[in-house]
Amino acid sequence: MIFEPFKPFLPSEYKVKLATEGWEHAGAAALRRRVFCEEQGLFRGDDRDAIDDVAIPIVAVSLLGVVFDEVVGTVRIHQGEGKVWWGSPLAVAQGHRRLASLGAAMIRLAVAFAHARGARRFLAHVQVQNVPLFERLHWTTLAELELFGRRHHRMEADLTHYPPIVDAEWGVLSLLQKAA
Ligand SMILES: CC(C)(COP(=O)(O)OP(=O)(O)OC[C@H]1O[C@@H](n2cnc3c(N)ncnc32)[C@H](O)[C@@H]1OP(=O)(O)O)[C@@H](O)C(=O)NCCC(=O)NCCS
């Protein structure tokens, strides 16, 4: 008998929010290890650095009905010098990419929350293959440089496109838009 191969389960909704729970922090760290150590090979074993001690993590969590399921996306933000804020490692789990605009939703929440916390500028080092995604979200390139052996752009968000969001711990919903 021949069985039809069945598609993997995909949640229809995700929540993008500040990480407030221990399992969200742990899930974000595990996802970063999967993407930046195993998939991209940028770091050996662990990509944690000193910025993690001060950064505010943001997560994308898949929803099963009204119940949180697992962390499938993450980014972190921190305040640099003065009122300059930075975003760093942005990652979406492999099976959830280009499905629900999770990358874009996390960038929006990250910049809008930093804006609410007083950011006057918001910068990030963006891997070159992701520059078009950021440009579509109103970021411009300030410089090109090599980091961790890869080409990056230092980019800046146009804050006029990111009205402040104060209550980011409640988060925003992101819906599945495309079939796998
Ligand atoms: C980069 C990354 C976070 C994007 O996450 P995502 O959830 O797939 O992104 P989105 O669905 O929000 O993408 C928004 C739009 O940008 C497009 N896009 C996404 N990644 C892109 C890329 N690398 N190049 C060009 N366009 C891209 C998507 O197609 C989508 O456009 P569409 O709606 O017209 O299809 C994800 O691909 C990832 O984790 N990559 C590996 C780690 C990495 O590169 N991190 C970034 C370091 S700067």
Side-chain angles (χ1 to χ4, degrees):
M1 190 179 291
I2 298 172
F3 291 99
E4 288 288 323
F6 52 86
K7 289 183 180 174
F9 170 77
L10 280 176
S12 56
E13 292 184 351
Y14 300 83
K15 195 82 175 275
V16 175
K17 62 189 284 291
L18 289 193
T20 51
E21 309 297 323
W23 66 269
E24 293 173 338
H25 286 263
L31 175 60
R32 273 172 45 182
R33 279 195 297 274
R34 280 208 305 283
V35 172
F36 297 109
C37 301
E38 293 164 28
E39 179 186 338
Q40 294 195 336
L42 296 185
F43 306 93
R44 274 205 195 163
D46 198 2
D47 69 326
R48 231 188 117 74
D49 60 22
I51 294 171
D52 285 304
D53 295 337
V54 294
I56 302 170
I58 287 169
V59 286
V61 182
S62 54
L63 294 177
L64 286 177
V66 293
V67 179
F68 284 169
D69 182 29
E70 62 171 334
V71 173
V72 297
T74 186
V75 69
R76 67 181 182 185
I77 59 172
H78 77 280
Q79 186 169 6
E81 286 192 7
K83 295 187 173 177
V84 180
W85 283 65
W86 289 83
S88 51
L90 172 73
V92 171
Q94 270 181 336
H96 300 267
R97 291 179 193 162
R98 304 184 98 151
L99 289 178
S101 297
L102 293 179
M106 287 192 292
I107 293 166
R108 284 199 199 91
L109 191 69
V111 181
F113 182 63
H115 201 179
R117 297 284 294 264
R120 291 289 171 269
R121 299 182 72 192
F122 193 101
L123 309 180
H125 289 126
V126 176
Q127 289 182 14
V128 69
Q129 78 277 7
N130 297 320
V131 167
L133 166 62
F134 282 76
E135 284 176 338
R136 282 166 50 177
L137 296 170
H138 309 283
W139 291 60
T140 50
T141 294
L142 303 176
E144 296 185 29
L145 64 163
E146 189 158 311
L147 290 171
F148 316 115
R150 284 197 175 217
R151 286 171 58 215
H152 283 73
H153 285 209
R154 182 177 304 134
M155 300 188 77
E156 177 165 11
D158 178 350
L159 289 185
T160 61
H161 287 276
Y162 293 87
I165 293 179
V166 177
D167 52 352
E169 62 275 9
W170 291 106
V172 291
L173 274 182
S174 204
L175 304 180
L176 184 71
Q177 294 146 4
K178 299 168 196 164

